[in-house]
Amino acid sequence: MTTPEHPGARETLIRVRGLRTQFGSHVVHDGLDLDVYRGEILGVVGGSGTGKSVLLRAITGLDTPAAGRIEAFGTEVLGASPEERERLDQRWGVMFQDGALFSSLTVRENVEVPLRRIPDLTPELRRALADLKVSLVGLPYRAGEAYPSELSGGMRKRAGLARALALDPEIVFLDEPTAGLDPIGASAFDSLINTLSEALGLTVFLVTHDLDTLYATCDRIAVLAEKRVLVTGTLPQMLEVDHPWVQEYFTGPRARLARGAGRSDTKPEAE
């Protein structure tokens, strides 16, 4: 199925071509193509087992695909040298589900982990930068001294985002950032994504199943189905896609609620 969109002259930060990922005999992706453009919030959706998180991990080099090419910032990810991988890792940040924080470290110490890779950064400056990131994601100052087990689910997610932002990345990968949050907490996190994207010029790769988050934050959607990216486009364009899963997902009862109220109002419609 071809994409209904016309990306024009937008800068492509990440280009995936012919991706094949599999675990043993189980093939997750086969012939998957995807572009991620600078400055956009891209929502990646799909049914259970379509490999949304697997795609995120493949792009960021955490999983090795069986075949295909992944280019990020002009560098071939799969064949990158250790020095090239180090440079790539400094240009993106990853927030996993529930934050994936080190339980034995405080929030501040968790955020400091990526900062330790910067040579000649003094402990005092590293601490100050970590405190800045904690504040940036809307956590109170005292949260920096807390351990992950002492935080609510929403606060842990914000702490995970602070760590992902530690090195001032150009793109952040968010894996189900609102999963498990109550509607108020999820709405607040949606607003935070929008604010940071606009204020910092961030590109956001957002894996989610949350229709409210799609309507509240995303400029463009990529639908995973049939072991590939079936279609990409804006939310209005998704409504015109003639595919059973896409129609059910974007026009069903939950989608109508998401379009009609609450969190769908926090993201202005793209021109």
Side-chain angles (χ1 to χ4, degrees), residues 17-161:
R17 292 293 182 271
L19 187 72
R20 179 182 176 90
T21 59
Q22 62 185 95
F23 301 95
S25 61
H26 176 60
V27 178
V28 180
H29 305 130
D30 192 12
L32 184 150
D33 297 338
L34 179 66
D35 291 328
V36 181
Y37 304 121
R38 183 178 292 278
E40 74 172 344
I41 300 178
L42 174 68
V44 179
V45 303
S48 178
T50 53
K52 300 181 290 296
S53 296
V54 172
L55 176 59
L56 182 157
R57 293 178 62 86
I59 291 174
T60 55
L62 297 172
D63 286 342
T64 302
R69 296 182 64 251
I70 302 172
E71 185 180 289
F73 304 105
T75 297
E76 176 57 47
V77 175
L78 302 181
S81 67
E83 294 77 14
E84 289 173 325
R85 277 307 314 268
E86 178 68 20
R87 288 194 291 270
L88 284 175
D89 288 343
Q90 292 182 11
R91 299 183 73 174
W92 61 41
V94 184
M95 192 199 92
F96 299 101
Q97 293 188 39
D98 201 37
L101 301 169
F102 297 109
S103 60
S104 61
L105 302 180
T106 66
V107 168
R108 179 185 295 110
E109 290 168 340
N110 267 279
V111 178
E112 286 187 56
V113 169
L115 294 168
R116 293 181 181 276
R117 295 156 59 180
I118 301 177
D120 303 322
L121 193 64
T122 66
E124 293 77 17
L125 183 54
R126 190 170 61 234
R127 177 188 175 97
L129 288 172
D131 286 340
L132 175 63
K133 302 304 179 181
V134 169
S135 176
L136 188 65
V137 298
L139 287 172
Y141 180 80
R142 65 181 183 277
E145 302 286 351
Y147 289 91
S149 62
E150 299 172 324
L151 302 178
S152 67
M155 293 177 74
R156 283 195 301 273
K157 288 178 182 289
R158 287 176 183 255
L161 180 57

Side-chain angles (χ1 to χ4, degrees), residues 5-13 15 35-41 219-220 232-234 237:
E5 64 175 342
H6 302 283
R10 287 180 288 180
E11 180 185 358
T12 302
L13 294 189
R15 181 178 288 108
D35 291 328
V36 181
Y37 304 121
R38 183 178 292 278
E40 74 172 344
I41 300 178
D219 302 302
R220 196 166 62 101
T232 60
T234 64
Q237 288 172 329

Side-chain angles (χ1 to χ4, degrees), residues 43-46 52 157 175-190 193 206-218 221 235 245 249-250 254-255 257-259 261 263-264:
V44 179
V45 303
K52 300 181 290 296
K157 288 178 182 289
D175 193 359
E176 298 284 5
T178 59
L181 298 183
D182 63 78
I184 294 175
S187 180
F189 204 95
D190 290 341
I193 293 171
L206 172 63
V207 171
T208 187
H209 69 279
D210 190 334
L211 279 158
D212 286 326
T213 290
L214 292 178
Y215 278 93
T217 66
C218 293
I221 309 298
L235 279 161
W245 190 90
Y249 189 80
F250 288 100
R254 288 178 178 270
L257 286 172
R259 290 200 304 271
R263 289 158 59 190
S264 62

